[in-house]
Amino acid sequence: MYFLIQGPNRYGVLKRAVRGVSDKMLIQQLKELEADGVVTRKDYQEVPPGVDYTLTPLGRTLAEALVPLCNWGTDNMAEVTRIFAEREQWQAR
């Protein structure tokens, strides 16, 4: 959703933007978001395939609601990283 709030994006652009995601997982998530009315999918019927994904009005309001959570994550990145590192050490014991 973060990459779609700025406007429509092609599948390949989203795949490069969401690092480490598999094709299967990204396609599954996009299908679920489409089924839930959060994104729309426009197929240009081209070869090679051209598909755009865009936030719906509902998706835009959801993305706007998530902004404070993203800001919290950015503001607390160092502390969260420290906590995760401590958790990994604890689990390794």
Side-chain angles (χ1 to χ4, degrees):
M1 291 184 56
Y2 174 82
F3 298 107
L4 292 174
I5 198 157
Q6 300 153 9
N9 270 308
R10 296 244 172 165
Y11 176 82
V13 172
L14 293 172
K15 174 76 168 124
R16 287 187 295 276
V18 183
R19 295 184 193 133
V21 69
S22 68
D23 282 318
K24 178 184 175 190
M25 185 55 64
L26 182 56
I27 290 168
Q28 179 181 335
Q29 290 297 306
L30 288 168
K31 283 183 179 181
E32 288 179 13
L33 290 169
E34 184 181 14
D36 293 339
V38 176
V39 301
T40 57
R41 179 183 188 271
K42 182 176 181 182
D43 188 343
Y44 290 97
Q45 302 295 319
E46 303 173 329
V47 176
V51 177
D52 276 345
Y53 291 91
T54 307
L55 287 178
T56 63
L58 177 66
R60 189 163 290 287
T61 61
L62 177 57
E64 291 167 2
L66 293 173
V67 168
L69 183 59
C70 292
N71 291 338
W72 180 90
T74 300
D75 293 345
N76 293 285
M77 182 72 70
E79 182 68 8
V80 171
T81 301
R82 184 191 65 75
I83 291 167
F84 285 166
E86 286 180 4
R87 182 185 302 166
E88 284 182 23
Q89 289 175 357
W90 179 79
Q91 289 175 338
R93 294 180 195 165

